[in-house]
Amino acid sequence: MGVGGEKFQLGTVGALGLSVVSSVSIVICNKALMSSLGFNFATTLTSWHLLVTFCSLHVALWMKFFEHKPFDSRTVMGFGVLNGISIGLLNLSLGFNSVGFYQMTKLAIIPCTVILETLFFRKKFSRTIQMSLSVLLLGVGVATVTDLQLNAVGSVLSLLAIITTCIAQIMTNTIQKKFKVSSTQLLYQSCPYQSLTLFLIGPFLDGFLTNQNVFAFDYTSQVVFFIVLSCLISVSVNFSTFLVIGKTSPVTYQVLGHLKTCLVLTFGYVLLHDPFSWRNILGILIAVVGMVLYSYFCTVETQQKSVDVSQQQVKETESSPLISDSMSKVENGGGVADDEPLKVPMWSSKYSRA
């Protein structure tokens, strides 16, 4: 493997590690903010996260840490608004459904993403990848899904949340590749639209779900501290999300998300002494097996693709020997009589001028 491939792998591992650490940290921070301090305005808090992320990126742009690269404004606007709507729908889904059904909604994002990429992008997922994803989903389901109380409104909201989330994450990957923009450039341009969307709908949505007014909440110094800490961590969360999806795929990002779920459950038991059962332990172990299998098969398939590309390049070189043969004969002084005109391919500019 070349230097470029090694750098890419290191960058991917770094992005995955940053995503896991920052996401687990923000979950623990938000749990303290919401469970202990009673600040239950999740959608509004997310809009603040995105606003702080945009301001941080603007400072980074001013300090020339990255280059601003404008591209199709309609695409950016649509992408940003869709991302904001998907977050709002996920929060609504949690409000109208049981926790167990909400976890099933999150689990359904992976198979939905696979179906959409297969239908619209002709992407193929091998049976080994499908098997490892099934093991992963089974494990997370055993660990997190407790009750499955269904209702019509909640089911429709969950379906919309799944579809919009899948499309938004697929767009995150395809936009970066189509317009050749980095994760930082895409996040910088889409953040204002995401933040504005959530800032407009957040207070109404949170008020509807909690029967409280976010602007009338008692903002003690402790509450403000955790809000600021949550916003600062969110910069890393948002950046790593775009980075991971850009370097890997939406499916890999969802797999990583379930790893975070298992880690949050574990840290909750160890640090916060949350209730834990043998079912949670069994589910986490099964999920870890699924993640290991998924990582292994992805690595094997990536290496096989690299080998196939190299072999294809060698075959193409061997199947076009006309130029190399004629050149070697001329250089060696053989294969052409002295009184016979030199015959070379008409596309060889070196000899057509002679």
Side-chain angles (χ1 to χ4, degrees):
M1 184 180 294
V3 177
E6 291 179 356
K7 286 184 178 179
F8 178 80
Q9 283 195 340
L10 287 174
T12 304
V13 171
L16 294 171
L18 178 63
S19 180
V20 169
V21 172
S22 57
S23 295
V24 172
S25 300
I26 202 170
V27 167
I28 295 173
C29 178
N30 288 348
K31 188 167 185 178
L33 181 62
M34 295 180 181
S35 300
S36 303
L37 301 175
F39 188 86
N40 296 311
F41 310 104
T43 308
T44 303
L45 180 62
T46 305
S47 71
W48 295 347
H49 286 170
L50 290 164
L51 180 61
V52 172
T53 299
F54 174 73
C55 293
S56 302
L57 289 176
H58 194 70
V59 172
L61 178 65
W62 178 71
M63 298 177 69
K64 298 183 179 180
F65 284 129
F66 71 96
E67 181 183 351
H68 180 45
K69 185 179 179 181
F71 59 98
D72 189 5
S73 58
R74 289 185 179 180
T75 301
V76 176
M77 184 184 298
F79 170 71
V81 172
L82 180 64
N83 257 312
I85 291 174
S86 69
I87 294 171
L89 285 171
L90 281 171
N91 290 338
L92 271 176
S93 174
L94 179 58
F96 276 87
N97 294 302
S98 63
V99 175
F101 192 82
Y102 175 72
Q103 290 295 337
M104 286 298 296
T105 299
K106 292 175 69 177
L107 290 176
I109 292 175
I110 283 184
C112 182
T113 303
V114 170
I115 291 171
L116 288 176
E117 289 197 310
T118 302
L119 290 177
F120 296 101
F121 294 92
R122 307 298 182 192
K123 187 172 181 178
K124 295 182 180 180
F125 295 87
S126 64
R127 289 188 178 183
T128 53
I129 294 293
Q130 294 176 20
M131 181 271 291
S132 60
L133 289 174
S134 301
V135 174
L136 165 67
L137 294 176
L138 173 65
V140 177
V142 170
T144 60
V145 178
T146 52
D147 56 328
L148 289 175
Q149 300 174 8
L150 302 177
N151 65 81
V153 176
S155 299
V156 172
L157 288 172
S158 293
L159 179 61
L160 291 174
I162 291 169
I163 294 173
T164 53
T165 301
C166 290
I167 294 174
Q169 291 182 357
I170 291 173
M171 285 182 68
T172 304
N173 182 270
T174 54
I175 287 175
Q176 291 185 52
K177 293 179 179 178
K178 180 179 178 181
F179 295 100
K180 292 181 173 56
V181 293
S182 68
S183 55
T184 310
Q185 291 167 333
L186 178 58
L187 180 60
Y188 175 71
Q189 294 188 66
S190 62
C191 252
Y193 299 107
Q194 294 183 60
S195 179
L196 181 61
T197 301
L198 291 175
F199 189 78
L200 291 175
I201 67 175
F204 300 102
L205 189 59
D206 290 333
F208 177 73
L209 294 174
T210 64
N211 292 321
Q212 292 178 298
N213 186 348
V214 64
F215 301 110
F217 189 78
D218 182 19
Y219 289 91
T220 64
S221 58
Q222 197 173 12
V223 171
V224 173
F225 170 78
F226 275 99
I227 289 176
V228 172
L229 180 62
S230 178
C231 288
L232 292 176
I233 299 174
S234 73
V235 177
S236 177
V237 172
N238 291 324
F239 173 72
S240 61
T241 296
F242 280 59
L243 192 61
V244 168
I245 296 177
K247 283 185 172 293
T248 57
S249 69
V251 173
T252 299
Y253 175 72
Q254 285 299 322
V255 171
L256 189 68
H258 293 308
L259 170 62
K260 299 171 193 174
T261 300
C262 295
L263 289 175
V264 167
L265 288 173
T266 304
F267 281 121
Y269 173 72
V270 174
L271 300 177
L272 305 176
H273 305 291
D274 289 342
F276 214 62
S277 66
W278 284 105
R279 176 177 173 174
N280 298 129
I281 297 174
L282 176 63
I284 289 175
L285 291 175
I286 295 173
V288 168
V289 171
M291 291 173 204
V292 171
L293 290 174
Y294 177 79
S295 301
Y296 172 74
F297 290 131
C298 279
T299 303
V300 170
E301 290 187 8
T302 301
Q303 291 176 346
Q304 185 60 43
K305 286 179 181 178
S306 299
V307 172
D308 292 341
V309 170
S310 300
Q311 291 178 346
Q312 183 65 29
Q313 290 175 345
V314 171
K315 288 180 180 179
E316 289 176 355
T317 303
E318 291 176 349
S319 62
S320 303
L322 294 176
I323 298 179
S324 58
D325 286 351
S326 59
M327 294 273 288
S328 61
K329 287 178 180 178
V330 172
E331 289 172 356
N332 295 329
V336 181
D338 293 337
D339 56 346
E340 185 179 349
L342 180 64
K343 296 179 180 178
V344 295
M346 60 186 300
W347 59 83
S348 178
S349 59
K350 179 179 178 181
Y351 294 98
S352 62
R353 296 192 188 99

